[in-house]
Amino acid sequence: MLFSCQKKSSYTLEQIRALDGAAYTNLFRSSVRSGDIATLSLFFTNGMSGHLETPDGRTPLIVAVSRGHTEAAALLLAHGARINDVGFYAQTPLLRALDAKKVDAALLLIRHGADVNRAMFNGWTPLHFAIKENMPDVVRQLIVRGADANAATKSGFTPIMIAARNGESEMLALLLTAKPDVNRRSPDGWTAARLALRYHHPAIVRLLLAHGALTNEANEAREAPSETTANVKKNKGPWSYTIRKAQGDATLITLGYNDGFFSRNSMSITIIPEIGGKIISWRVGGRELLRSTTDAALLHGDELYGIPVMYPTPNRIKNGEYLWNGKRRHMQFPDEGRPRELHGLVWDDLWVSSLPEISADGVSVMLRYDIDENNPRFRAFPWRNTLRMRYRLMTNGIRFEYEVTNRDRAAFGYGLGLHPIFAVRERKDVTVSVDVSTMLKVDKNFFPLGGIEMATNAYLLALPRPLTEIELQAPYFPVSSKNSAVISYRGGPPLILSASDDFRHLVVWNPRMKNWYRNFFSVENQTCSSDVHNYHASGRTAEAALIVIEPGASRQGYVEYRIDRNTTK
């Protein structure tokens, strides 16, 4: 077998033979991680097997395909790597490659005879992953190799339901060549047509109807259509709003303020209700303050754009499991291959929008997210409730006003946060200050350890510090409405972040450790700690700050992003 890599190894065969057991194995594994074909070839010349048992299930083949090292994976297979062994996260190498979005590695494994129907513990098969990640070449090969188009996950979702929910017409057309059951119903009553209706994909509904979907699905689906209509524009004084169609079936709502004297004071925000109900753009004086995109695929798959709303678990949950009233539950969605451990269940899902409203002092729009039996994600957080979020554009910034209403017969606990992804050009030109001197004690994975500690060194932000000096992640606590965070841009006015008293936590996230993260950062107002339900259940209720809401009750709060035009640095 020939490999394209021409790089010479840093080692000789004699040096490799001279290594002892641990050093020998460690260098082999390191060569797999880096895709070092030349060094791997020396190991195999010395008689090394391509299969290596590991305590954590990260076999060399799984590591190679998850990193996209296709040539290394082929070399491992040629020397005895087991193509269908279950390893890390109960995944075969093929499932791992697909979960990691490595198309070439997945195609290599399929060509080498990987089991195309082997499922994870939750029933997700390679076809489910390939449909979800929009991989047409992989889907074609899976179908040719006999992948079961009717395979159902433990939530009862088949591949065609995933395609319908995501509005992927190409994926759906490929699946239909395998003649799946278009009327298959999940235990919760979901069919492909009903999912397409709920998520506003009329072209998908028509395609399903043309292939035998039951026509009464339209009557059975209790989807709540948006009250907005595309191609609408209204102006009143300095305020305006527009509603227009975006890529696919999404809608963009833009709220605007036009300062007739100083264009640098004009601003606008743009919201996309169908994908997280999030603000995806905030322009001030022509400058974009956020990491922004209108690409639906990016917004669905990556929360690091705009200002995602995080609810009902605004930070992370250990292993995607949480405890409430003595019962352990899983943040598992039918349309995702693994439990969600980060940022809750609403940041990428469908919200319902009302028409914007213009008043004397601003322009605003109300969005709503319902959690109940008519939401496929209800099992992950099984209490009927509604989250309302009003985005209000003012002359000097944005006000976020939220309300949670408990429509269930039982009390539940929730947390809420905003995760603004602020764009940055030069990190040295941006400073952040936080007038809170204590932090929650957390481990390296940001899970609370119990207690609070003083902020010191790179975590102490009492005075403004540039992003180049700020540590990766800092959870400040306790916070109240008397506290604020200030972001200052060289040559521009400061941005002041404040919130109501229920926002007890503030997280500064400065991901400067990876090249592709260096163009953004975040200052996050959150009502609660990470792993909040579990931390609450451990008895640390004050630090967890979980908000418990009784049946029929509502809770409100706000966050403000205010531009201080009286100060310019």
Side-chain angles (χ1 to χ4, degrees), residues 24-47:
Y24 187 84
T25 301
N26 289 339
L27 180 58
F28 176 75
R29 296 183 68 176
S30 174
S31 300
V32 172
R33 287 195 299 272
S34 62
D36 184 348
I37 302 299
T39 302
L40 285 175
S41 297
L42 292 177
F43 273 100
F44 294 129
T45 299
N46 196 45

Side-chain angles (χ1 to χ4, degrees), residues 26 31 59 99 151 179 185 316-317 461 536 543 545:
N26 289 339
S31 300
T59 65
D99 195 11
K179 305 211 179 320
R185 189 178 295 269
R316 59 195 68 199
I317 310 171
L461 301 182
H536 177 90
E543 294 164 15

Side-chain angles (χ1 to χ4, degrees), residues 303-343:
E303 67 266 47
L304 300 180
Y305 288 96
I307 308 178
V309 178
M310 305 179 294
Y311 174 85
T313 50
N315 211 293
R316 59 195 68 199
I317 310 171
K318 188 173 289 187
N319 300 320
E321 298 180 354
Y322 64 98
L323 194 66
W324 177 248
N325 284 345
K327 186 173 181 179
R328 187 159 299 281
R329 300 185 181 276
H330 297 82
M331 195 63 76
Q332 176 71 63
F333 309 156
D335 54 340
E336 287 199 2
R338 61 171 66 188
R340 182 171 287 188
E341 301 176 359
L342 197 62
H343 295 162

Side-chain angles (χ1 to χ4, degrees), residues 84 159 161 203 206 260 288 357 374 411 431 479:
N84 290 317
M161 294 178 188
R206 290 192 292 271
E288 178 59 66
E357 301 174 7
N374 297 303
T431 64
V479 181

Side-chain angles (χ1 to χ4, degrees), residues 322-477:
Y322 64 98
L323 194 66
W324 177 248
N325 284 345
K327 186 173 181 179
R328 187 159 299 281
R329 300 185 181 276
H330 297 82
M331 195 63 76
Q332 176 71 63
F333 309 156
D335 54 340
E336 287 199 2
R338 61 171 66 188
R340 182 171 287 188
E341 301 176 359
L342 197 62
H343 295 162
L345 57 81
V346 307
W347 65 264
D348 61 341
D349 207 17
L350 171 73
W351 290 56
V352 177
S353 173
S354 64
L355 283 170
E357 301 174 7
I358 296 177
S359 62
D361 57 355
V363 56
S364 68
V365 63
M366 176 76 81
L367 281 81
R368 186 183 82 244
Y369 187 87
D370 293 315
I371 301 178
D372 53 30
E373 293 86 349
N374 297 303
N375 185 332
R377 298 184 173 184
F378 182 49
R379 281 192 179 189
F381 196 75
W383 296 275
R384 300 169 189 84
N385 69 95
T386 296
L387 168 63
R388 292 180 175 85
M389 180 70 72
R390 181 175 290 279
Y391 298 118
R392 188 182 301 277
L393 184 68
M394 307 176 294
T395 59
N396 63 346
I398 312 171
R399 182 179 172 96
F400 306 80
E401 301 166 353
Y402 88 87
E403 179 181 73
V404 172
T405 301
N406 185 349
R407 299 185 284 111
D408 207 86
R409 296 179 180 179
F412 64 85
Y414 76 88
L416 185 140
L418 299 179
H419 197 318
I421 310 300
F422 292 114
V424 58
R425 297 169 186 169
E426 294 289 339
R427 304 187 83 78
K428 61 182 176 59
D429 293 337
V430 180
T431 64
V432 177
S433 64
V434 176
D435 60 355
V436 180
S437 59
T438 53
M439 302 166 50
L440 201 66
K441 290 182 179 178
V442 294
D443 65 16
K444 65 179 183 179
N445 296 314
F446 212 65
F447 292 117
L449 294 170
I452 60 176
E453 60 186 353
M454 295 299 297
T456 59
N457 300 324
Y459 296 104
L460 184 60
L461 301 182
L463 297 175
R465 300 185 72 165
L467 292 176
T468 51
E469 298 179 5
I470 297 174
E471 197 49 65
L472 168 64
Q473 193 154 277
Y476 296 95
F477 173 85

Side-chain angles (χ1 to χ4, degrees), residues 237-239 257-266:
W239 308 105
Y257 166 68
N258 179 38
D259 189 308
F261 297 99
F262 301 103
S263 60
R264 66 177 181 272
N265 294 338
S266 298

Side-chain angles (χ1 to χ4, degrees), residues 6 119 142 153 187-188 242 245 271 282 298 373 407 487 538:
Q6 301 297 317
L142 289 171
T153 67
D188 292 336
T242 61
K245 294 299 291 183
I271 304 113
W282 181 16
L298 290 176
E373 293 86 349
R407 299 185 284 111
I487 302 169
S538 75

